[in-house]
Amino acid sequence: MRTGGVPPSTESKEESTVSKPSPAGPARVVLITGLSGAGKSTAAKCFEDLGYYCVDNLPLPLLRPFLEDPAHHLPDVRRIAVVTDVRSPGVADALPGFLDDLDRSKVEPVLLFLDTSDEILVRRYSETRRRHPLAGEEPVIEGIRQERRILEGLRGSADRVIDTTELTIHEIRAELIRDFGDERAGLVVTLVTFGFKRGIPYGTDMLFDVRFLRNPYFEPGLRELPGTDPKVVEFLETQSDFEEVADKLGDLLEDLLPRFREENRSYLTVAIGCTGGRHRSVATGERLTRALRASGWDVQLQHRDVAR
């Protein structure tokens, strides 16, 4: 997870308030807070998977200028997640009023609060053997109770409260993806074309064999051309099987990808193989990639054996 502080702005507050808003609109900033042990680290990792730039535990003097104008510090970033909690002194009291005063033309803040029962928190600290930040030499339950009192007002100001008492890590991710992701966010699909004679690609999740298609390798003038060449594509398109199979594979993936995403998969590798990995699988992979990208999926295409 990308973490780190933001250097204090050299501009005065008066100068920063008169700067022009970004033409791309306000940056969306999700402030992740809540009880220690309630799942803030899990949430931050999920937001990073969703494409957010993640910052952990900025102290209040740095958090203020950062939130007042995120584009000044991160000009090309439109989605940001910031973890802030009792480790930053004064943040619980100051944050609600500070968020109310933000310029909505520059930042769209969302306050996310993660809560959990005392019993579960005690169990988690016992299992991890970590110290509670407020417990000191007292039992961990005393630190939990003190933190709950400190954060009571912050919880009441939250835009979204998630109680993780009964949730697994995967269920926490599902909640966050539903609320803060988009329909296809969080799943990167990699299509890998290959030749069976050189083995199946490592890490393949789903495999399709297109060796039943007529092989351009045996056609005069096509043997040395890759499957991306228009002449090879034209030859394959003369076969009714090529377009029909490619379209059906596309329909199948369109149906399956949302199901993998619902299971909070971040990556899915789909391998498409022919004998040498130079013609049929390459052309099929190109066609599938165009179709999936047109539908909005994040698809990476790799031709493993096309140059061999």
Side-chain angles (χ1 to χ4, degrees):
M1 181 177 65
R2 291 187 296 264
T3 58
V6 177
S9 172
T10 57
E11 298 177 336
S12 68
K13 184 175 181 180
E14 181 179 356
E15 290 172 330
S16 66
T17 57
V18 298
S19 61
K20 295 180 180 180
S22 168
R28 188 182 197 190
V29 179
V30 179
L31 290 112
I32 307 167
T33 190
L35 295 172
S36 303
K40 296 190 296 295
S41 296
T42 296
K45 292 175 183 177
C46 179
F47 275 102
E48 186 166 67
D49 290 343
L50 290 174
Y52 284 70
Y53 185 98
C54 295
V55 183
D56 186 20
N57 195 33
L58 279 180
L60 193 58
L62 295 181
L63 184 61
R64 284 181 178 275
F66 179 55
L67 292 183
E68 285 174 347
D69 192 2
H72 176 76
H73 303 282
L74 301 170
D76 300 322
V77 178
R78 308 311 307 154
R79 300 199 297 177
I80 303 166
V82 180
V83 179
T84 184
D85 51 38
V86 294
R87 292 173 297 169
S88 179
V91 71
D93 293 330
L95 194 57
F98 173 59
L99 293 179
D100 289 340
D101 295 336
L102 288 177
D103 184 347
R104 293 308 196 267
S105 70
K106 296 179 181 178
V107 59
E108 177 190 334
V110 178
L111 183 58
L112 169 66
F113 191 98
L114 300 180
D115 199 354
T116 307
S117 71
D118 290 356
E119 178 183 358
I120 293 299
L121 288 174
V122 170
R123 182 189 307 168
R124 289 176 183 173
Y125 273 97
S126 175
E127 291 172 351
T128 62
R129 300 183 182 181
R130 298 193 64 188
R131 297 177 64 87
H132 190 280
L134 298 182
E137 300 301 321
E138 298 292 327
V140 66
I141 186 60
E142 296 302 323
I144 293 170
R145 289 169 179 166
Q146 181 182 352
E147 183 179 32
R148 193 178 293 281
R149 288 192 297 269
I150 293 173
L151 297 179
E152 183 178 1
L154 198 57
R155 188 186 193 281
S157 302
D159 299 292
R160 177 75 167 92
V161 176
I162 298 179
D163 189 334
T164 66
T165 301
E166 302 294 336
L167 301 182
T168 65
I169 290 177
H170 300 297
E171 289 168 336
I172 294 172
R173 286 176 56 86
E175 290 273 341
L176 296 174
I177 291 172
R178 184 192 66 195
D179 290 350
F180 299 97
D182 56 47
E183 185 179 354
R184 295 173 176 83
L187 177 63
V188 176
V189 181
T190 301
L191 296 185
V192 182
T193 69
F194 73 99
F196 276 96
K197 67 181 183 180
R198 294 184 176 88
I200 296 173
Y202 179 78
T204 294
D205 298 301
M206 192 181 306
L207 174 64
F208 297 112
D209 184 348
V210 295
R211 285 178 291 186
F212 55 83
L213 295 173
R214 187 176 171 188
N215 196 345
Y217 181 86
F218 298 108
E219 298 299 318
L222 299 183
R223 174 176 293 190
E224 301 303 322
L225 299 178
T228 54
D229 191 281
K231 293 180 180 180
V232 175
V233 175
E234 182 180 1
F235 169 79
L236 290 169
E237 287 178 345
T238 62
Q239 306 177 47
S240 60
D241 281 357
F242 174 70
E243 290 193 4
E244 180 182 357
V245 168
D247 289 345
K248 286 184 176 179
L249 289 179
D251 291 341
L252 177 61
L253 289 174
E254 286 278 11
D255 181 60
L256 293 179
L257 293 183
R259 302 169 191 258
F260 282 104
R261 181 194 168 281
E262 288 171 3
E263 290 300 313
N264 300 322
R265 289 286 294 269
S266 295
Y267 301 96
L268 184 74
T269 299
V270 180
I272 305 167
C274 60
T275 303
R278 183 169 176 79
H279 300 105
R280 294 167 289 181
S281 62
V282 170
T284 304
E286 292 280 343
R287 187 182 181 96
L288 280 175
T289 298
R290 288 194 298 271
L292 292 173
R293 285 176 178 170
S295 297
W297 292 100
D298 183 2
V299 180
Q300 313 298 321
L301 178 61
Q302 300 174 7
H303 299 307
R304 191 190 73 176
D305 300 327
V306 69
R308 296 187 181 183

